[in-house]
Amino acid sequence: MLKKWGRSMEKREAQKMQWWARSAGLALLATIILGMLNAFFVADGIDINLSANVVATAENMMEAGDRLRAKAYISAALFAIGLLVPLGFFLLLRETGLLVAAWSLAISLSAALLSLLGAVFALNAAEIATDPAYQQLANPAQRLLMSGLQATADYTSFHLSLILSSTGMAGFFALFYRSRLMPKIIAGWGLFASLFVAITIVARDFIAILGHPSITAAFMLSNLVALLATGIYLSVKGAAQDN
């Protein structure tokens, strides 16, 4: 009787693990797809993180109130969906390394909150661009400066968020590498790509050559491959135990 009860508990626990693995994988894929759609069809020209041109971005923001609001609400949706990823990873990996899993979860949640500030700045910029009150409070040059400040704040919050989220993912990938829940080649590449992103973003503020567009493209592509592979594997295979 006790053995039967024990097997039943193990089966339910395995089913929960599979559910969290697939949920985290699907959420990860959803954030990638929604983020790309946002970048290509909504945020083009009004997101400084896509161009790094504060003047052109601020000018475009002054004519894009509706798109700024859409960008903000999509960012809020990405925040809500994205929370499932670190939470799912924590639940999957806490038995492999509770301290590292909890640390990675805390870092990832902090990064998510920072990324949510992008939605706040987009809504601020929409108000500056469309609310008649700002036409009375400031002249066009001053309103353009205020939009530029919103864009700059978005830039800094996004990059700090990217550093923290990549650091948190590095912790999760290190635990995936130790566990049997994912092929080591995916976990190893994810660990490399996450550290590549975090270290390069910090280092390029001190070493100018690291800010070259080719290096930026390299670490972003490496990270995209790692996240896509992780999302696809988990959503299809779940938390496998035979790797």
Side-chain angles (χ1 to χ4, degrees):
M1 185 69 178
L2 288 176
K3 288 183 179 180
K4 184 177 180 180
W5 181 80
R7 286 194 297 267
S8 177
M9 289 292 293
E10 288 177 2
K11 183 178 179 180
R12 283 198 294 269
E13 186 64 27
Q15 288 174 340
K16 284 198 298 184
M17 291 274 285
Q18 291 293 76
W19 188 89
W20 274 112
R22 290 195 166 92
S23 296
L26 289 171
L28 184 55
L29 292 177
T31 58
I32 293 171
I33 294 169
L34 186 57
M36 293 179 70
L37 290 174
N38 182 47
F40 290 129
F41 298 108
V42 178
D44 185 31
I46 60 171
D47 189 339
I48 192 173
N49 301 302
L50 301 176
S51 68
N53 187 331
V54 66
V55 176
T57 301
E59 290 174 345
N60 292 336
M61 289 164 69
M62 294 300 297
E63 306 295 331
D66 289 341
R67 284 202 296 138
L68 284 165
R69 291 186 179 91
K71 175 179 178 290
Y73 297 133
I74 291 173
S75 297
L78 286 168
F79 169 79
I81 298 169
L83 288 179
L84 286 173
V85 178
L87 179 58
F89 286 178
F90 169 76
L91 294 173
L92 287 172
L93 296 165
R94 57 185 172 176
E95 292 186 4
T96 304
L98 180 58
L99 180 60
V100 175
W103 176 83
S104 297
L105 175 63
I107 293 292
S108 298
L109 293 179
S110 299
L113 288 172
L114 273 174
S115 69
L116 188 60
L117 287 176
V120 176
F121 299 134
L123 286 176
N124 287 348
E127 290 299 308
I128 293 168
T130 61
D131 192 332
Y134 285 95
Q135 297 178 10
Q136 299 177 24
L137 290 171
N139 61 43
Q142 291 170 329
R143 290 169 62 215
L144 183 63
L145 175 59
M146 287 190 287
S147 291
L149 291 173
Q150 300 302 315
T152 301
D154 186 14
Y155 180 86
T156 53
S157 66
F158 172 79
H159 282 78
L160 284 173
S161 170
L162 189 55
I163 292 167
L164 288 176
S165 64
S166 298
T167 303
M169 287 299 293
F172 285 131
F173 279 123
L175 293 177
F176 273 124
Y177 192 86
R178 286 178 54 193
S179 72
R180 296 183 297 156
L181 302 178
M182 180 184 295
K184 289 188 180 297
I185 188 171
I186 297 178
W189 181 261
L191 177 59
F192 160 75
S194 298
L195 292 175
F196 187 16
V197 172
I199 292 171
T200 305
I201 290 176
V202 174
R204 70 184 183 181
D205 284 339
F206 305 96
I207 305 173
I209 189 62
L210 294 179
H212 192 276
S214 61
I215 295 179
T216 300
F219 73 66
M220 294 303 288
L221 182 59
S222 298
N223 197 45
L224 178 61
V225 170
L227 296 178
L228 278 173
T230 300
I232 292 171
Y233 182 85
L234 291 176
S235 61
V236 173
K237 185 93 176 198
Q241 296 287 334
D242 53 355
N243 296 300

